[in-house]
Amino acid sequence: MTDAVTSLHDIAHHALETAPPFDVALQEARASLTEHATADIHDHHEMITAAVALYIRLHGLVAALDAQDGRQ
């Protein structure tokens, strides 16, 4: 018996079409960290919400860094 696992996505396959400017991506990441810093670890919904929001911001931040380095 195997467990079915579906990953969020392959970041190399689903790269952002346009990366945000680095300063914008960093500002958004910091805001998301602040917004979710008080999430209740015992609340499943809050944890999922925080995880997805932070994942999205991290993805934007990495895309912005890659764009600065000319990797996109």
Side-chain angles (χ1 to χ4, degrees):
M1 181 167 134
T2 62
D3 293 330
V5 176
T6 303
S7 62
L8 203 47
H9 75 270
D10 176 3
I11 197 166
H13 180 68
H14 296 285
L16 294 177
E17 289 184 22
T18 57
F22 176 73
D23 58 330
V24 171
L26 183 58
Q27 180 180 12
E28 290 175 343
R30 286 183 172 147
S32 193
L33 283 169
T34 299
E35 178 183 352
H36 298 288
T38 59
D40 180 359
I41 197 165
H42 301 289
D43 185 324
H44 180 75
H45 183 269
E46 283 189 32
M47 288 293 99
I48 295 297
T49 300
V52 170
L54 293 168
Y55 174 83
I56 290 167
R57 295 304 178 211
L58 178 61
H59 188 61
L61 192 55
V62 170
L65 285 169
D66 284 348
Q68 274 188 339
D69 289 343
R71 290 187 228 170
Q72 221 175 19

